[in-house]
Amino acid sequence: MSGVWVFDKKGVARLISNPTRESFELKEPPHAGAGTATAPGARPRVLVYLPTNDVIRSFSELEQRLLELGWTRYHNSKNRSPHLVQFHRSHSSPHLISLPSNFRNLKHFHLYDIVVKNPCFFQVRDPSA
């Protein structure tokens, strides 16, 4: 029995045998109230800027907030990818946030990376919260 087990909100598991990328990028979840475009059964998440309690809805909003917090865009001419945007605290800091240049391509691990590096300013929440 090979494949991927996916659990819904009620805790019921179902097996996706021979999973493909398309099976995890369903536009509509298999049943109402569950799932996102990236993983069936996963809950959608939003990034919230805590000082104003605003949901970050665009890359320009996110970049503005990061710049306000002291992050600067990292321009590395050697390994520059047009699909990747990076921010760092300072040239001597090991902290680096790497994000896709298209806001719609942000995944949950990008959101949590922002939160881990800015815990007092960002939070990941359910969209209904």
Side-chain angles (χ1 to χ4, degrees), residues 16-67:
I16 300 176
S17 38
N18 301 324
T20 62
R21 182 175 180 164
E22 290 78 22
S23 66
F24 286 97
E25 293 180 344
L26 298 173
K27 297 300 177 196
E28 292 294 324
H31 26 288
T36 65
T38 57
R43 294 182 306 217
R45 301 289 187 177
V46 294
L47 184 66
V48 177
Y49 184 65
L50 294 175
T52 60
N53 207 32
D54 290 333
V55 174
I56 303 295
R57 299 189 188 279
S58 69
F59 190 81
S60 61
E61 284 182 58
L62 177 59
E63 183 174 23
Q64 176 188 352
R65 298 301 184 191
L66 289 173
L67 293 174

Side-chain angles (χ1 to χ4, degrees), residues 29-117:
H31 26 288
T36 65
T38 57
R43 294 182 306 217
R45 301 289 187 177
V46 294
L47 184 66
V48 177
Y49 184 65
L50 294 175
T52 60
N53 207 32
D54 290 333
V55 174
I56 303 295
R57 299 189 188 279
S58 69
F59 190 81
S60 61
E61 284 182 58
L62 177 59
E63 183 174 23
Q64 176 188 352
R65 298 301 184 191
L66 289 173
L67 293 174
E68 290 171 2
L69 295 173
W71 292 88
T72 57
R73 273 189 94 151
Y74 182 71
H75 299 286
N76 183 355
S77 59
K78 294 178 189 172
N79 298 325
R80 184 144 161 99
S81 169
H83 305 293
L84 182 69
V85 177
Q86 295 180 315
F87 295 91
H88 65 107
R89 287 271 188 187
S90 69
H91 292 289
S92 61
S93 171
H95 297 293
L96 185 70
I97 297 175
S98 298
L99 304 171
S101 57
N102 186 337
F103 189 78
R104 288 178 283 161
N105 293 336
L106 281 179
K107 305 289 185 204
H108 70 279
F109 58 88
H110 295 115
L111 301 181
Y112 284 109
D113 187 36
I114 294 167
V115 170
V116 165
K117 293 172 181 158

Side-chain angles (χ1 to χ4, degrees), residues 5-17:
W5 287 96
V6 178
F7 293 87
D8 66 12
K9 286 186 176 184
K10 295 179 183 176
V12 178
R14 72 182 167 91
L15 178 66
I16 300 176
S17 38

